[in-house]
Amino acid sequence: MTVDELGLVLLGGALVLLLAVFAVRLSVRTGLPSLLVYLFFGLAIGERGLGLEFDDQQLTGVLGYAALVLILAEGGLTTRWSRIKDVVGPAAVLSTVGTVVSIGVVGTASHYLLGLEWPVALLIGAVVSSTDAAAVFSVLRGLPLPPRLVGLLEAESGFNDAPVVIAVIALTEIAAHPEEPTHAWWLLALEAVGELAIGVVIGVGVGRLGALALRRVALPASGLYPIAVIALVVLAYGAADALHGSGFLATYVAGLALGNVRLPHGAAVRGFAEGLGWLAQIGLFVLLGLLADPFRLPDHVVGALVVGLVLLLVARPLSVLASVSWFRFPLREQAFLSWAGLRGAVPVVLATVPATAGLVDATGIFDLVFVLVVVFTLVQGPTLPWVARRLALSQGETIVDLDVESSPLGALDADVVQMRIGPTSRLHGVEIFELRLPERCNITLVVRGGEPFVPTPRTMLRHGDEMIIVASAAARPVAERRLREVSAGGKLAGWYRRLGPDAMRPGRT
């Protein structure tokens, strides 16, 4: 490549990147995961569109792994431990036992309905069994769902890449070399458990030691802290992989450990990670679109629909039932978990693994998975809010974190959160003083109709209001619980619990 050619490449890349950034607005309005827009960009500029030739599946797989590392790093760094700590058990079971169930069901259906050999059928089941972290993080964090449900889906999408990658690699070797003797299933399972354990240990170790070092070492520029944090997370991947552990699990766990401690310039760190995550998503999805050939895809529509319907209507519900029913999740929450198993870039990236191993049916597997992801993302993504409402899971408010780069807030161990009052919330008509928020917590700003103002204790809240709340780390959980109580039960919610059981006995006033 010459310098002149470099200019043209950078021009085209910048234009695609800008279009992708502005397309996020369309994604938010329609409820579609942005991956579909980026895949379309890749198809549009590919060989069948503007004529850019690209067919290197091995390079796509390598770059895809690198992009997934950054996506998982962003997911770990921006996930609050307080939101997922109560659901780590169910998420771990869903990511392992649920994956095995999904592989078995989809593999069996692919064998009997599509006539595929067992190794290839199970390989397809493994490829499509992983939920996508990028899709889950981008879609679910904007929905007013119970925190436990969102936390479970976030944790599952962060955890399940690791066991799925192990399964795909093992099944690819079996399918590519059927004449070679294979290890016993229990030995493969034991090896997988060992890899996952190494990934967790490396992730926790790198995260904790890295946080300790960053708090003790005063770097000369604030911009060095985000670079150091990303380097630590990538280090976790490399160290785990070198020790034959799960690099993806180490990446997510290290990001989780680093993202849930007070780091210098923590807001800048999370903002930098989010930007890298978006860049990785855009580059990865455009690259996958480039690799796909639109003229080959129609031949795999029937197979993709068969596998997708089995996955959505049978495999995923059975995975959820076998995994989380032991943790007393209501059936309506299990139904939503079944519908919310979004697929995205991860299955398409994993579909390139068979090509690198020289599998004969590799191109067909890639095309089938590509069609499946596109079709079922169109079905599941936009319908998630409707499904949540039908199952009576949609709450009247949403609470999200706001990162504010402020040294005083960091020194005070304080958080800034944003809360939107939804159309069904009973916060409507409540005056701020009636909320009885804890000490060291204050509503500092209300945005109504696009106009911000500083509220007084007598300010009455309305549907559609957005509140900016500043609270100490200790007061935040109490404040959130109180706001949810009032949102669900009105201004008198919690009075009986606060006064105690003696308050309702005869003779008391």
Side-chain angles (χ1 to χ4, degrees), residues 47-109:
E47 184 177 359
R48 303 295 186 178
L50 297 180
L52 182 61
E53 296 184 11
F54 181 80
D55 59 357
D56 194 333
Q57 291 200 13
Q58 184 171 3
L59 178 60
T60 302
V62 172
L63 294 177
Y65 270 47
L68 291 177
V69 169
L70 295 178
I71 292 170
L72 284 171
E74 186 265 337
L77 288 168
T78 57
T79 297
R80 281 196 167 272
W81 175 249
S82 59
R83 186 164 55 204
I84 71 168
K85 65 179 181 180
D86 295 330
V87 293
V88 168
V93 176
L94 186 56
S95 301
T96 51
V97 175
T99 296
V100 173
V101 172
S102 181
I103 292 173
V105 173
V106 174
T108 302

Side-chain angles (χ1 to χ4, degrees), residues 400-471:
V400 297
D401 290 300
L402 290 179
D403 283 332
V404 179
E405 189 63 81
S406 172
S407 296
L409 282 176
L412 291 172
D413 198 23
D415 292 328
V416 181
V417 296
Q418 176 184 354
M419 176 176 183
R420 184 180 183 278
I421 301 176
T424 62
S425 174
R426 297 185 66 180
L427 284 166
H428 178 82
V430 175
E431 296 183 18
I432 287 179
F433 83 92
E434 294 176 308
L435 294 174
R436 304 187 302 282
L437 295 176
E439 294 182 1
R440 304 187 69 188
C441 174
N442 195 31
I443 299 175
T444 59
L445 195 71
V446 173
V447 181
R448 180 174 297 164
E451 295 295 329
F453 63 91
V454 177
T456 68
R458 303 292 305 191
T459 297
M460 185 175 292
L461 301 174
R462 301 292 184 193
H463 290 311
D465 283 355
E466 293 186 14
M467 300 183 292
I468 308 299
I469 305 166
V470 178

Side-chain angles (χ1 to χ4, degrees), residues 18-41 132 134-143 278 281-282 285 342 377-378 380-385:
L18 286 172
L19 287 173
V21 169
F22 289 120
V24 175
R25 183 67 177 174
L26 174 64
S27 171
V28 171
R29 287 191 172 187
T30 59
L32 289 174
S34 52
L35 71 92
L36 291 182
V37 181
Y38 305 151
L39 287 174
F40 172 77
F41 286 161
D132 187 70
V136 170
F137 293 149
S138 63
V139 173
L140 291 180
R141 286 182 180 177
L143 292 180
W278 277 109
Q281 289 182 52
I282 293 169
F285 297 146
L342 298 176
T377 300
L378 282 169
Q380 290 175 265
T383 58
L384 279 178

Side-chain angles (χ1 to χ4, degrees), residues 194-208 240 243 246 249-250 253:
E195 291 188 24
L196 296 176
I198 292 173
V200 171
V201 171
I202 294 294
V204 172
V206 170
R208 290 191 172 181
L243 294 173
S246 172
L249 187 57
V253 172

Side-chain angles (χ1 to χ4, degrees), residues 229-398:
V229 170
I230 295 300
L232 285 168
V233 177
V234 175
L235 172 67
Y237 177 89
D241 190 64
L243 294 173
H244 302 287
S246 172
F248 287 125
L249 187 57
T251 298
Y252 183 74
V253 172
L256 197 60
L258 286 164
N260 284 273
V261 296
R262 290 284 173 178
L263 293 178
H265 305 284
V269 169
R270 285 184 287 274
F272 184 75
E274 187 176 0
L276 280 181
W278 277 109
L279 185 62
Q281 289 182 52
I282 293 169
L284 174 58
F285 297 146
V286 171
L287 188 64
L288 293 173
L290 274 173
L291 188 62
D293 186 346
F295 286 11
R296 294 198 315 259
L297 299 180
D299 296 335
H300 299 277
V301 170
V302 175
L305 290 176
V306 170
V307 174
L309 286 172
V310 170
L311 177 65
L312 180 62
L313 301 179
V314 183
R316 176 67 178 182
L318 286 178
S319 299
V320 171
L321 183 64
S323 304
V324 306
S325 58
W326 310 101
F327 298 92
R328 297 182 180 179
F329 277 78
L331 286 177
R332 59 194 181 100
E333 292 189 358
Q334 293 187 40
F336 185 81
L337 289 171
S338 301
W339 192 260
L342 298 176
R343 269 64 188 176
V346 176
V348 186
V349 170
L350 294 179
T352 64
V353 173
T356 63
L359 192 65
V360 176
D361 300 324
T363 301
I365 292 174
F366 178 86
D367 292 340
L368 185 148
V369 173
F370 189 94
V371 174
L372 184 153
V373 168
V374 171
V375 171
F376 285 90
T377 300
L378 282 169
V379 172
Q380 290 175 265
T383 58
L384 279 178
W386 178 82
V387 172
R389 289 194 298 271
R390 294 290 295 176
L391 294 173
L393 293 173
S394 184
Q395 297 187 329
E397 78 290 324
T398 54

